[in-house]
């Protein structure tokens, strides 16, 4: 388990998640809170395979990670109800720095 400082944002969005997380078996684990305020651990899988080391700073990594979600409930404003989507992919820009 390696402690890291991270920054994660959806591609084409301004909102970023920043803080201290952990690398465990190539996955980035970060603390998060649900819309109701309940804490949980968010996992970005295989970030060590998809992120590359910076040329000037070897302990910093960055790259794009695509996460796939199945059976996602999406609120349709026009119909004023939730609809179930079978498959959704979301791409994130991930940056992290290893702490010693």
């Amino acid at each position: 388990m390696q402690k890291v400082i991270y920054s994660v944002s959806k591609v084409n969005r301004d909102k970023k998640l920043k803080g201290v997380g952990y690398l465990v078996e190539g996955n980035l684990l970060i603390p998060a809170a649900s819309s109701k305020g309940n804490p949980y651990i968010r996992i970005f899988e295989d970030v060590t395979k998809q992120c590359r080391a910076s040329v000037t700073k070897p302990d910093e990594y960055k790259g794009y990670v695509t996460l796939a979600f199945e059976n996602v409930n999406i609120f349709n404003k026009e119909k004023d109800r939730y609809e179930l989507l079978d498959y959704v992919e979301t791409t994130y820009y991930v940056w992290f720095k290893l702490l010693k």
Side-chain angles (χ1 to χ4, degrees):
M1 185 181 304
Q2 175 71 43
K3 198 173 194 178
V4 297
I5 297 173
Y6 69 88
S7 174
V8 176
S9 63
K10 282 186 181 180
V11 173
N12 299 329
R13 302 288 175 148
D14 291 334
K15 184 178 176 185
K16 291 183 181 182
L17 300 172
K18 301 177 190 177
V20 178
Y22 294 93
L23 278 178
V24 178
E25 297 176 3
N27 301 324
L28 178 62
L29 306 175
I30 64 173
S34 69
S35 59
K36 294 182 180 180
N38 297 329
Y40 69 98
I41 301 296
R42 190 156 187 190
I43 301 172
F44 291 89
E45 295 179 353
D46 297 327
V47 294
T48 55
K49 292 179 184 175
Q50 298 180 24
C51 294
R52 302 289 177 228
S54 174
V55 176
T56 57
K57 300 176 183 176
D59 59 345
E60 290 186 14
Y61 296 82
K62 58 186 171 182
Y64 293 95
V65 177
T66 301
L67 297 180
F69 301 99
E70 295 180 359
N71 300 325
V72 179
N73 284 317
I74 302 293
F75 187 73
N76 187 335
K77 292 180 183 179
E78 294 174 0
K79 296 181 181 178
D80 197 32
R81 65 179 175 156
Y82 284 94
E83 295 178 352
L84 185 66
L85 297 178
D86 294 333
Y87 184 80
V88 176
E89 282 187 353
T90 305
T91 303
Y92 294 91
Y93 176 74
V94 177
W95 171 91
F96 63 91
K97 180 179 179 179
L98 303 175
L99 297 177
K100 297 177 178 145

